[in-house]
Amino acid sequence: MLKEGELRIPSGCAISGIIDKEGKRFNGDEIIKSIALMHDRSNGLGGGFAAYGIYPQYKDFYALHIFYDNLSIKMQTENFISKYFDIESAGNIPTKSVLGVRNKPLIWRYFVHPRNYMVKDGFVDEAEFTSRYVIKINKEYKGAYVFSSGKNMGTFKGVGYPEDIGKFFMLDTYEGYMWMAHGRFPTNTPGWWGGAHPFTMLDWSVIHNGEISSYDANRRFVEMYGYKCTLQTDTEVITYLFDMLVRKHNIPMEKAIKVVAAPFWEDIERENKEVQNELKSIRSVYASALINGPFSIILGFEKGMIVLNDRIKLRSLVAAEKGSRTYVASEESAIRIICDNPHKIWSPQGGEPVIALLKGEQK
Amino acid sequence: MSLDFNSPAFEVIRDEKKCIQCQVCARQCSNKVHLYDEEDNVVRADDIKCVNCHRCVVLCPTKALVIKKYPLEFKENANWTDAALKEIYKQSQTGGVLLSSMGNPKSFPIYWDRMLLNASQVTNPSIDPLREPMETKVMIGRKPEKLEFDAKGKLVTNVPPQIELSIPIMFSAMSYGSISRNAHESLARAATELGICYNTGEGGLNRDFYKYGKNTIVQVASGRFGVHKEYLNAGAAIEIKIGQGAKPGIGGHLPGKKVGEDVSATRMIPVGSDAISPAPHHDIYSIEDLRQLIFSLKEVTAYKKPVFVKIAAVHNSAAIASGIVRAGADAIVIDGFRGGTGAAPTRVRDNVGIPIELALAAIDQRLREEEIRNEVSLIIAGSIRNSADVVKAVALGADAVYIGSAAVIALGCHLCRSCSTGKCNWGIATQEPELVKRLNPDIMYKRLVNLASAWNHEIQELLGGMGINAIDSLRGNRLMLRGIDLNEKELEILGIKYAGE
């Protein structure tokens, strides 16, 4: 019989992320290799990737990636999109047949720009306009699901093991400066194409290992600010929380992190008056945005990647650096297989973020 | 007067083999139930005077006493119950309004008991509060819609004043007058030690208690007893009492016999005079009037004290609550129909208002739909009986709860529901010096501290079991609740799923 320390029960989701802070682009092979190593942390019911910098030729357009259940809903949704957006280009997302990836929906991609006069009439900016209509499609068009809506980035996800999903979407043909991957072990929700990670809103994308016990408190909070959680899953709400805090409320990212993984009260009491006041204000005003329960998340956005554990580190997470690259993964081996000699490797503490931004970007 | 048709409510049974004629019962009973008969060297009991407060039973050194419901039974009738008959006998004899103490005792559903909590298992492990930090602190007060930071990342928003509660529990408003000085002191000292707040009720604040100000909520009720600038600035927050769950739409009345010198000085009324709080505030006949009072109180306290508004849970509480938020209140207190009181008209107590669970769920939902829930704190009251009730209240949407009955029970109250007589044998709802002395604040405040600390441990266990380590993450987290034995409409109002879903 194996003794304590020799026994390992593989379970839980897998996450992996790579960013080149110099902005150098590279294809999806490495991220597939990294996530494939953690095969046992998935169960074949979901895998997905987010890639940033992949559409330089369309960098000023929102790239809408959409799953459709059938042609009829596709036509209805396209009518809707063309009413509010100028469509620069449209087509299905190239895929190839892979054993283990079945029952695929219609997978389409549109490069769009919000109609200028409508944006002006709505007294909102382009991002807010786009997010509102993305939410509207997800909420009102049954059988259509916008799973990616950012600029110069895209997500690729589905039901299957992540390495199979990566091959299915031919990620080796894309080049980006940042890649994130997720292998899913769903229990709360069925494995369906829309339910795979990442979840996105504009250029925010979140992959997540864990289960958020604060979900309904967070959900009911963000829904007061115009969001609608339609996907029965906690990862969606994390995406909206960051979108709300950073984009809508204009809160610096470092402070937003203190909202979702707030310092403990006993730690706040040890700070000087000014810091105390700030942290108390954050905990008072955004109490309902605190994320609770076990999680390790990678939050991707245009400027880089934020990686975060829950406050008491109930999920595994390792980070490493080499040259201009930062790596994170659920397991150290998933980093070492693509980066054999990192100059720094560490396990971030609970609530302590790893912030890896593109060169020149401010925290 | 005609013949009294009423029979005793209780029967005092004395085990003669155990009774040692020590007369403790005779000395302890303020209702004069027990009398020593010197001739026969025996203690006898006059059943009709017994209110079943248990004082004699608990203090009897040989446990010779038992009090039971009086065995006299009326002919069985599901409609004309014993209580219905007795009330008619009483009213036909006195011609008066029936008075009752404490909250609605009728068998309405207790929704707390029809909601069950979640627990974490494998995918989301539970958290052990013995090993991991578990936060139960809450901040009560008005919140801005969002925080703003300058270009250097420095906070520029001034958050309005907040009250920090170490646990989401406060002691309900009970005035000095309705309860004794020693009971009042016990509450004040316990609140201070616990890092929470107690509430002066509508009777002003005795100067001896100003030292507990940081843990005091001072109340402004319609009678404005003891309200002056110093009083308003003495506490941590101000509560405007509009209504009370035990008697919605009804004012208050402290009989003159309870107004001794100390109560007189605190309330700023003459000794021996009745203190009548009118049903409405003399200056509030609209929501706009309420706003003016809220801001008058903020002005007088230099905007340093949160202002609460307390209402009774009634049919349209949700709409009223919305108005109160917009009127500028920092916190809304909702008091359900199980809430206690010294005395209320029985018909009002038993027939007016709604259960706090439904009121809370409806208000929280309405405020969210109007996108103003985050601006205000929501505090509920009205028979929170244990820590599970607290946890369920928070999951439904409350920031904190007030406990009144539970607190006085910790002080010894046996819920005999006879507070209005002023003869509380436990020294709580009385001003009679000999009875007041029975409650020693040096000892009794610790019982309150113990109670709240015990509940806090239990709250932490329940939170940990749900995989939550901050009570903030439970607030409004209705997925943590499931209903049992509830119909679809009740589930809809409570905003929860049925067990098994």
Side-chain angles (χ1 to χ4, degrees), chain A residues 42-47 158-162 183-187 189-193 195-196:
Chain A
S42 314
N43 67 356
L45 291 177
V159 175
Y161 280 99
R184 189 163 186 244
F185 202 122
T187 52
T189 49
W192 67 291
W193 283 69

Side-chain angles (χ1 to χ4, degrees), chain B residues 30-80:
Chain B
S30 60
N31 297 303
K32 309 273 185 239
V33 172
H34 304 278
L35 284 173
Y36 178 60
D37 184 335
E38 280 185 39
E39 210 168 291
D40 294 343
N41 185 29
V42 66
V43 181
R44 301 186 198 283
D46 182 358
D47 290 342
I48 204 152
K49 291 177 181 167
C50 179
V51 297
N52 197 14
C53 76
H54 295 179
R55 181 81 182 181
C56 58
V57 175
V58 172
L59 266 67
C60 175
T62 60
K63 302 295 172 217
L65 292 169
V66 171
I67 296 174
K68 289 194 166 172
K69 224 171 137 183
Y70 200 74
L72 180 67
E73 287 186 9
F74 293 91
K75 193 165 183 179
E76 204 166 291
N77 190 322
N79 185 37
W80 289 100

Side-chain angles (χ1 to χ4, degrees), chain B residues 173-390:
Chain B
M174 286 175 274
S175 70
Y176 178 31
S178 73
I179 60 169
S180 67
R181 182 191 173 95
N182 286 1
H184 209 80
E185 186 180 338
S186 302
L187 291 164
R189 287 172 65 178
T192 304
E193 181 155 324
L194 287 163
I196 60 169
C197 287
Y198 79 107
N199 190 312
T200 61
E202 63 171 312
L205 181 63
N206 190 287
R207 290 202 176 264
D208 295 345
F209 298 147
Y210 273 42
K211 59 188 172 202
Y212 304 116
K214 277 186 185 168
N215 300 86
T216 305
I217 294 166
V218 296
Q219 201 180 64
V220 175
S222 60
R224 305 285 156 87
F225 299 118
V227 175
H228 50 85
K229 187 178 173 184
E230 213 180 335
Y231 164 78
L232 294 171
N233 281 287
I238 302 167
E239 180 176 285
I240 300 170
K241 177 198 163 187
I242 302 291
Q244 185 179 347
K247 45 181 177 178
I250 300 290
H253 178 197
L254 184 73
K257 65 180 176 186
K258 287 190 176 179
V259 183
E261 287 202 0
D262 213 17
V263 173
S264 149
T266 306
R267 290 207 174 208
M268 303 194 309
I269 55 171
V271 173
S273 66
D274 283 16
I276 295 173
S277 310
H281 285 245
H282 58 80
D283 54 353
I284 301 178
Y285 286 88
S286 68
I287 196 79
E288 304 90 325
D289 291 346
L290 175 66
R291 180 176 171 83
Q292 293 199 17
L293 179 59
I294 290 170
F295 281 91
S296 297
L297 295 172
K298 289 189 179 198
E299 282 288 336
V300 84
T301 51
Y303 292 82
K304 288 180 181 166
K305 317 275 180 190
V307 176
F308 302 0
V309 175
K310 175 180 170 178
I311 57 167
V314 289
H315 300 181
N316 56 339
S317 294
I320 299 162
S322 163
I324 295 172
V325 180
R326 294 171 197 284
D330 299 85
I332 307 176
V333 182
I334 317 288
D335 195 15
F337 71 179
R338 303 273 192 196
T341 179
T346 308
R347 294 287 166 257
V348 172
R349 186 195 64 169
D350 294 353
N351 296 283
V352 182
I354 60 172
I356 190 60
E357 301 94 320
L358 299 177
L360 165 62
I363 290 167
D364 180 71
Q365 186 57 31
R366 170 75 177 255
L367 298 185
R368 282 173 192 272
E369 283 163 11
E370 294 189 13
E371 300 176 1
I372 53 175
R373 171 64 185 91
N374 204 45
E375 290 179 26
V376 75
S377 296
L378 208 49
I379 301 156
I380 63 139
S383 192
I384 295 290
R385 303 158 302 162
N386 53 50
S387 59
D389 289 356
V390 179

Side-chain angles (χ1 to χ4, degrees), chain B residues 11-25:
Chain B
E11 182 186 19
V12 180
I13 301 167
R14 185 184 311 274
D15 186 336
E16 299 297 348
K17 285 183 202 154
K18 290 183 182 173
C19 181
I20 54 172
Q21 316 302 329
C22 67
Q23 302 168 52
V24 166
C25 51

